[in-house]
């Protein structure tokens, strides 16, 4: 896994802004060139949304945000970059000109990705001096949350470029898929265009409104697509006989005259106005930024649910998120070690995610336990009980927990959890966690937990190894001089 050191983004609109946020939040410095007079405001707004979404997406420690520089020339922006992402408007002549300029000014070994939604890389690289490093890196909006990048090479793109690009997407939490042959619009936009063509006809012919059409998608197959795509969904739809049965049953219908896919709808003024009006009604006064925030909350919720799927192993985009978090935790271990051991350890910083709240937008009960569990996990990683240790057959299991809910955490609220180690011996680890509001510091909840070191294969408690005990003892000794937190050892129901 190789990391991008410095990125350059040429074009900072909807997609360029999303790339910029994705890079910066992965700790990568970004140099931007966009002649738009308000480029920095637009990028700033996308970045603010991205930071809000990441705060809700993960409790794993994000690296320090990369440095953002706006440059006055393209040459200045690309000079030091090892990944350059072009996201200028979708016009072949414009893109070619910009890519040739990038080609002339960039380091020869720099990778150059184009965000184009459908132009062929062979056409884009035609006049480049080093065309072997140009490829299509087609992302999806919002780039900071949706992980997919379609990687498409042109006739002159070297296979090593595609491999290198694929590799460099992993540390920024993205998934590159290599499209074997270049065709206009690649795979995703081909599919979307087919659906969109059909949808436009359905509106044009007054079969339904834009709202009804969106409802048909989002209350039904849209939910299926997010987690299993098309073919695996149809495999299940075929029942026990599976895919072959599904094809035999529904394949012949393709010859029926249902579709208008080959006709092109005329987007005349009247039709554009009709769609515009219906879309305004559907939005019910919500601004684009409001809709973006709702979209992001929903995507965060879906990604988190997918992360817990398949027996906790994670599924699809959720598995990718889980893997990404593992790398963040591993990289963040250094930061945790730098914590002041004489104070309760601040181990988890997170914003209350949309998937965590109940009907009144307050954090729901079991999420408190999740934050406490994450805090215990962070402590264990700190003392060497990491994923490799657990997979090798030993772990700490929580055997007793007492949670007190003293305040309320609300949707989007920044909270953090601290841990005070009360006592420990060779098997037992007695800890007291506190969830605070991150702005006021007010205590929202406390959790007292007893953990036991176990041989998880044999299914019994055993003494922890000396190197782990030494690290625990260092923290326990440092915490020994702290006052005993209010509420320790309190039985359930005791009067305050
Ligand atoms: N919007 C999407 O959903 C989406 C999804 C995937 C890919 N794309 C592709 O991404 C690219 C950008 O699309 P967008 O939606 O971000 O468009 P946009 O209009 O929001 O942004 C384009 C930006 O490029 C800037 N620009 C124009 N000329 C420039 C130049 N010579 N040098 C530097 N910057 C310049 C503009 O000022 C603008 O900020 C297109 O190729 C598009 O097909 C878009």
């Amino acid at each position: 896994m190789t990391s991008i050191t410095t990125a350059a983004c040429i074009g900072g609109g909807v997609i360029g802004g999303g790339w910029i946020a994705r890079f910066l939040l992965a700790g990568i410095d970004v140099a931007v060139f966009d002649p738009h007079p308000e480029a920095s405001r637009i990028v700033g707004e996308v970045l603010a949304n991205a930071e809000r979404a990441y705060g809700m997406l993960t409790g794993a420690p994000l690296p320090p945000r990369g440095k953002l520089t706006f440059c006055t020339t393209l040459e200045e922006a690309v000079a030091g970059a090892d990944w350059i992402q072009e996201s200028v408007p979708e016009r072949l002549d414009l893109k070619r000109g910009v890519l040739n300029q990038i080609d002339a000014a960039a380091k020869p070994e720099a990778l150059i990705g184009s965000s184009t939604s459908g132009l062929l890389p062979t056409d884009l690289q035609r006049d480049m001096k080093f065309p072997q490093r140009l490829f299509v890196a087609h992302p999806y909006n919002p780039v900071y949350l949706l992980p997919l990048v379609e990687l498409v090479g042109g006739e002159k793109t070297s296979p090593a470029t595609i491999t290198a690009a694929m590799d460099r997407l992993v540390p920024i939490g993205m998934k590159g898929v290599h499209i074997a042959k270049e065709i206009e619009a690649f795979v995703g936009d081909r599919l979307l265009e087919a659906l969109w063509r059909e949808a436009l006809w359905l509106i044009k012919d007054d079969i339904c409104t834009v709202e009804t059409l969106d409802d048909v998608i989002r209350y039904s197959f849209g939910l299926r697509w997010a987690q299993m795509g098309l073919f695996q969904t149809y495999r299940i739809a075929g029942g026990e006989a599976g895919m072959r049965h599904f094809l035999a049953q529904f394949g012949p219908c393709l010859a029926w005259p249902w579709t208008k896919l080959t006709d092109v709808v005329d987007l005349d003024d009247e039709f554009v106005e009709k769609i515009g009006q219906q879309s305004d009604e559907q939005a019910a006064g919500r601004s684009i930024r409001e809709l973006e925030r709702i979209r992001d909350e929903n995507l965060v919720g879906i990604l988190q649910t997918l992360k817990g799927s398949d027996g906790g192993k994670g599924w699809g985009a959720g598995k990718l998120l889980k893997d990404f978090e593992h790398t963040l935790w591993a990289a963040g271990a250094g930061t945790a070690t730098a914590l002041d051991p004489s104070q309760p350890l601040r181990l988890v910083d997170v914003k209350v995610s949309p998937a965590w709240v109940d009907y009144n937008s307050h954090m729901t009960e079991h999420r408190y336990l999740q934050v406490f569990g994450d805090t215990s996990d962070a402590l264990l990683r700190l003392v060497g009980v990491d994923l490799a240790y657990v997979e090798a057959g030993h772990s700490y299991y929580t055997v007793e927990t007492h949670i007190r809910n003293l305040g309320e955490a609300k949707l989007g609220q920044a909270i953090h959890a601290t841990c005070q180690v009360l006592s420990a011996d060779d098997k037992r680890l007695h800890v007291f966690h506190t969830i605070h509001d991150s702005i006021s510091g007010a205590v929202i909840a406390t959790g007292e937990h007893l953990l036991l070191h176990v041989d998880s294969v044999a299914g019994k408690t055993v003494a922890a190894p000396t190197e782990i005990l030494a690290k625990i003892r260092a923290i326990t000794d440092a915490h020994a001089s702290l006052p005993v937190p209010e509420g320790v050892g309190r039985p359930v129901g005791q009067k305050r």
Side-chain angles (χ1 to χ4, degrees):
M1 194 162 73
T2 318
S3 294
I4 301 166
T5 319
T6 308
C9 288
I10 307 305
V14 174
I15 290 303
W19 275 110
I20 293 166
R22 174 68 79 165
F23 289 133
L24 289 174
L25 295 179
I28 297 166
D29 293 344
V30 185
V32 180
F33 172 67
D34 188 323
H36 194 289
E38 295 200 67
S40 72
R41 176 189 60 80
I42 296 166
V43 168
E45 285 180 14
V46 177
L47 189 54
N49 269 0
E51 287 198 303
R52 173 179 178 273
Y54 272 46
M56 293 186 278
L57 180 68
T58 181
L62 294 173
R65 195 170 114 176
K67 188 165 144 260
L68 174 62
T69 315
F70 284 92
C71 302
T72 47
T73 63
L74 178 148
E75 287 70 19
E76 195 192 328
V78 303
D82 49 8
W83 180 300
I84 299 152
Q85 187 68 29
E86 168 277 305
S87 311
V88 303
E90 189 78 344
R91 286 194 350 247
L92 182 58
D93 58 334
L94 174 67
K95 283 201 188 275
R96 256 193 203 143
V98 166
L99 288 167
N100 292 343
Q101 248 184 300
I102 295 173
D103 189 36
K107 297 190 282 191
E109 68 278 16
L111 295 171
I112 305 174
S114 170
S115 298
T116 178
S117 301
L119 300 173
L120 295 179
T122 294
D123 291 337
L124 294 173
Q125 70 193 165
R126 192 189 67 185
D127 304 327
M128 288 173 70
K129 258 195 307 190
F130 302 105
Q132 68 279 2
R133 43 59 179 281
L134 180 279
F135 54 98
V136 166
H138 176 238
Y140 286 76
N141 186 33
V143 183
Y144 51 82
L145 275 182
L146 295 188
L148 188 80
V149 183
E150 286 174 284
L151 295 173
V152 194
E155 282 167 14
K156 296 183 192 157
T157 309
S158 74
T161 294
I162 300 290
T163 313
M166 190 86 86
D167 209 29
R168 280 163 182 73
L169 290 171
V170 178
I172 61 172
M174 296 188 93
K175 179 179 172 70
V177 291
H178 181 208
I179 307 302
K181 292 183 189 172
E182 61 173 334
I183 51 164
E184 286 88 353
F186 327 124
V187 174
D189 281 345
R190 285 259 161 157
L191 295 171
L192 289 177
E193 189 193 297
L195 189 70
W196 195 44
R197 266 175 193 261
E198 193 77 55
L200 287 171
W201 279 117
L202 292 167
I203 308 301
K204 174 97 177 168
D205 295 345
D206 292 316
I207 310 296
C208 62
T209 62
V210 296
E211 182 162 3
T212 303
L213 190 131
D214 282 351
D215 283 350
V216 167
I217 296 175
R218 69 198 182 118
Y219 285 84
S220 67
F221 56 83
L223 291 169
R224 300 193 306 214
W225 281 356
Q227 45 84 49
M228 278 198 184
L230 186 66
F231 282 99
Q232 205 155 38
T233 296
Y234 282 174
R235 181 183 179 83
I236 298 174
E240 287 185 6
M243 180 57 80
R244 286 167 191 80
H245 172 66
F246 185 85
L247 288 170
Q249 191 177 7
F250 297 110
C253 313
L254 294 175
W256 297 356
W258 278 1
T259 183
K260 286 199 171 185
L261 272 182
T262 50
D263 298 339
V264 179
V265 73
D266 186 6
L267 284 171
D268 56 22
D269 291 349
E270 193 191 340
F271 186 37
V272 168
E273 190 45 35
K274 176 177 174 177
I275 294 181
Q277 267 181 21
Q278 290 187 7
S279 175
D280 290 347
E281 276 166 34
Q282 183 186 23
R286 287 191 161 106
S287 71
I288 294 292
R289 291 280 176 250
E290 258 180 282
L291 288 170
E292 280 176 345
R293 281 192 283 274
I294 293 169
R295 173 202 63 193
D296 287 0
E297 287 173 15
N298 295 337
L299 289 173
V300 164
I302 293 167
L303 286 167
Q304 288 187 337
T305 299
L306 292 175
K307 193 178 86 173
S309 180
D310 193 22
K313 292 200 287 289
W315 180 264
K319 165 89 169 66
L320 193 77
L321 173 60
K322 200 177 181 76
D323 294 345
F324 179 54
E325 287 186 334
H326 278 314
T327 57
L328 289 177
W329 283 118
T335 342
T337 327
L339 291 168
D340 177 0
S342 68
Q343 293 300 316
L345 304 168
R346 181 167 172 160
L347 294 172
V348 170
D349 266 89
V350 73
K351 284 194 180 130
V352 177
S353 154
W356 292 9
V357 295
D358 53 24
Y359 67 96
N360 58 7
S361 286
H362 292 160
M363 188 155 92
T364 203
E365 197 172 341
H366 66 279
R367 296 295 178 179
Y368 288 89
L369 179 57
Q370 177 181 315
V371 175
F372 288 131
D374 288 347
T375 311
S376 296
D377 283 350
L379 174 71
L380 292 175
R381 271 190 298 273
L382 190 64
V383 298
V385 182
D386 54 16
L387 190 65
Y389 184 84
V390 172
E391 282 176 352
H394 288 85
S395 185
Y396 274 88
Y397 286 177
T398 304
V399 291
E400 203 173 324
T401 288
H402 179 192
I403 292 176
R404 293 186 307 158
N405 298 102
L406 304 170
E408 283 162 355
K410 300 190 183 70
L411 175 64
Q413 186 176 341
I415 56 175
H416 68 267
T418 55
C419 162
Q420 181 168 340
V421 179
L422 299 172
S423 68
D425 60 23
D426 59 351
K427 289 184 187 166
R428 292 150 46 97
L429 180 56
H430 186 185
V431 293
F432 192 83
H433 301 328
T434 306
I435 298 176
H436 306 262
D437 173 271
S438 289
I439 294 174
S440 68
V443 174
I444 297 173
T446 66
E448 184 176 353
H449 314 268
L450 183 70
L451 287 76
L452 293 180
H453 187 264
V454 293
D455 176 332
S456 47
V457 181
K460 57 177 189 170
T461 57
V462 291
T466 47
E467 60 276 16
I468 284 173
L469 291 175
K471 287 186 188 158
I472 292 177
R473 193 158 308 119
I475 301 172
T476 318
D477 290 350
H479 284 187
S481 53
L482 291 172
V484 176
E486 185 275 322
V488 166
R490 190 178 190 276
V492 172
Q494 182 187 338
K495 283 205 175 123
R496 288 208 194 162

